[in-house]
């Protein structure tokens, strides 16, 4: 039997199905946050600052999972919008701490409501047991993807 005579898959590879789902969900989440006056990057940064008030830029970059230079770009826009203030860190004068302003806290609450509403939408018609199984399967897929090839 030659390669071109092998039957095609009856369903897409799991990686493709995951990619398609992530793409659609990420796009819709970004649209939801934009309608609330924000973005996914802004949301992750605000969330990191609420969880760790006064964090340094490096700590936020680590929490958000982006490079320092990319974070600096986002922080500049957020500072220009009055959402944050950057201050020299007292314990390390080369670092900056980031603090939310009153406007930053208001933006966080607005985006939090949008994110929670989107999460409720995603969970629609999905049972708690199905969500538990989904989390378990996703954890296994991540473990499979990150282990060395056999």
């Amino acid at each position: 039997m030659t390669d071109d005579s092998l039957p095609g898959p009856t369903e897409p590879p799991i990686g493709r199905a995951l990619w398609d789902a992530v793409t659609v969900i990420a796009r819709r989440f970004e649209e939801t946050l934009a309608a609330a006056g924000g973005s996914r990057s802004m949301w992750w940064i605000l969330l990191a600052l609420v969880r760790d008030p006064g964090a340094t830029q490096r700590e936020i970059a680590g929490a958000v999972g982006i490079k320092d230079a990319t974070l600096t770009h986002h922080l500049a826009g957020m500072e220009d919008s009055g959402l944050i203030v950057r201050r020299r860190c007292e314990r390390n004068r080369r670092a900056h701490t980031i603090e939310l302003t009153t406007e930053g806290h208001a933006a966080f609450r607005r985006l939090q409501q949008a994110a929670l509403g989107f999460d409720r939408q995603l969970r629609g018609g999905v049972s708690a047991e199905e969500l538990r199984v989904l989390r378990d399967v996703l954890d296994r897929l991540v473990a499979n993807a990150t282990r060395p090839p056999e």
Side-chain angles (χ1 to χ4, degrees):
M1 189 185 283
T2 63
D3 284 342
D4 58 350
S5 64
L6 292 174
T10 58
E11 55 190 44
I14 192 63
R16 176 59 193 248
L18 280 169
W19 184 261
D20 290 348
V22 166
T23 301
V24 169
I25 292 168
R27 187 178 306 126
R28 291 292 297 133
F29 186 53
E30 193 71 53
E31 290 168 0
T32 298
L33 293 174
S39 67
R40 188 169 27 105
S41 298
M42 180 190 291
W43 169 238
W44 294 138
I45 293 167
L46 291 171
L47 191 57
L49 286 168
V50 166
R51 289 179 175 162
D52 189 7
T56 65
Q57 284 188 208
R58 176 158 287 151
E59 291 165 340
I60 295 167
V64 174
I66 60 177
K67 295 180 180 173
D68 286 344
T70 303
L71 177 65
T72 299
H73 169 76
H74 290 301
L75 292 178
M78 292 173 72
E79 191 170 35
D80 290 345
S81 297
L83 302 178
I84 62 160
V85 291
R86 291 187 267 194
R87 291 189 168 78
R88 289 270 179 217
C89 180
E90 291 182 19
R91 63 185 185 269
N92 178 356
R93 300 297 294 164
R94 292 176 293 163
H96 287 89
T97 59
I98 313 302
E99 296 174 18
L100 289 176
T101 63
T102 301
E103 294 85 1
H105 284 286
F108 172 79
R109 288 188 298 276
R110 194 173 57 252
L111 294 180
Q112 181 183 41
Q113 290 306 308
L116 290 172
F118 186 77
D119 191 65
R120 279 191 300 276
Q121 179 182 346
L122 281 179
R123 292 168 180 262
V126 182
S127 72
E129 176 61 17
E130 288 171 316
L131 288 171
R132 186 194 61 73
V133 169
L134 175 61
R135 288 180 194 276
D136 289 347
V137 170
L138 290 173
D139 287 346
R140 279 184 272 148
L141 290 172
V142 167
N144 290 344
T146 56
R147 74 171 182 240
E150 296 173 357

